Amino acid sequence: MKPGDVIAGRYELVNPLGRGGMGEVWAGRDRDLRRTVALKLLMTGEDGATDLPARFAREAVAAARINHPNVITLYERGVHEDVLHLAMEKVDGSTLTSASSSTGRPATSTRSPRSSTTSIRPSPNPSG
Ligand SMILES: Nc1ncnc2c1ncn2[C@@H]1O[C@H](COP(=O)(O)OP(=O)(O)OP(=O)(O)O)[C@@H](O)[C@H]1O
């Protein structure tokens, strides 16, 4: 995958955001709805013998059931050729590692950015 590639005729890849246990995550542009998205991509051709496609589908179904301001919103799940994709809300933020290396101190955080479709940000209200 490279910047400029278009997934499913719709999502233009802009820059890579990271890599997780299942695949690459890219910042992208949804050409249809004209908005920024984060795209999690799984190339099924890489190793068809794994359970990754099933895990990918389970993550999507689980994420689609959650509607909460502290949880990343899943927009769409799809497949195009041998690439599975999840289009989701893109969040901005730095990692604790980069925050720590820029300050030279161990990083502490009271508000961490949402970093995956199933991550939950600490609630400002302990009872909420
Ligand atoms: N919605 C998003 N907005 C911005 N960056 C994201 C988003 N989702 C993921 N990322 C970036 O991509 C990296 C990898 O995300 P991913 O969800 O694949 O990681 P993971 O939770 O470790 O993996 P997995 O759930 O696949 O085991 C994250 O650490 C983060 O930097």
Side-chain angles (χ1 to χ4, degrees):
M1 291 294 156
K2 60 183 186 309
D5 284 354
V6 177
I7 303 296
R10 169 173 184 179
Y11 301 110
E12 181 180 340
L13 301 185
V14 177
N15 59 277
L17 294 172
R19 187 171 183 99
M22 287 190 278
E24 301 173 10
V25 181
W26 283 73
R29 177 89 187 145
D30 180 347
R31 290 177 167 178
D32 279 4
L33 295 178
R34 300 180 189 174
R35 64 180 173 181
T36 296
V37 296
L39 284 167
K40 187 179 280 197
L41 305 174
L42 176 65
M43 271 65 84
T44 57
E46 281 181 2
D47 184 357
T50 72
D51 65 347
L52 288 180
R55 282 179 50 197
F56 202 77
R58 282 200 300 274
E59 175 173 325
V61 170
R65 297 176 68 173
I66 303 172
N67 177 14
H68 188 280
N70 289 350
V71 179
I72 288 171
T73 301
L74 179 71
Y75 296 147
E76 194 224 8
R77 166 190 167 202
V79 59
H80 178 68
E81 295 173 352
D82 59 353
V83 181
L84 306 179
H85 66 266
L86 301 182
M88 60 187 143
E89 174 190 2
K90 177 180 175 296
V91 292
D92 297 314
S94 60
T95 65
L96 289 177
T97 304
S98 63
S100 177
S101 58
S102 65
T103 62
R105 296 191 309 272
T108 57
S109 174
T110 53
R111 288 185 75 234
S112 48
R114 294 163 289 180
S115 63
S116 84
T117 50
T118 50
S119 298
I120 297 179
R121 186 163 57 187
S123 167
N125 174 359
S127 63

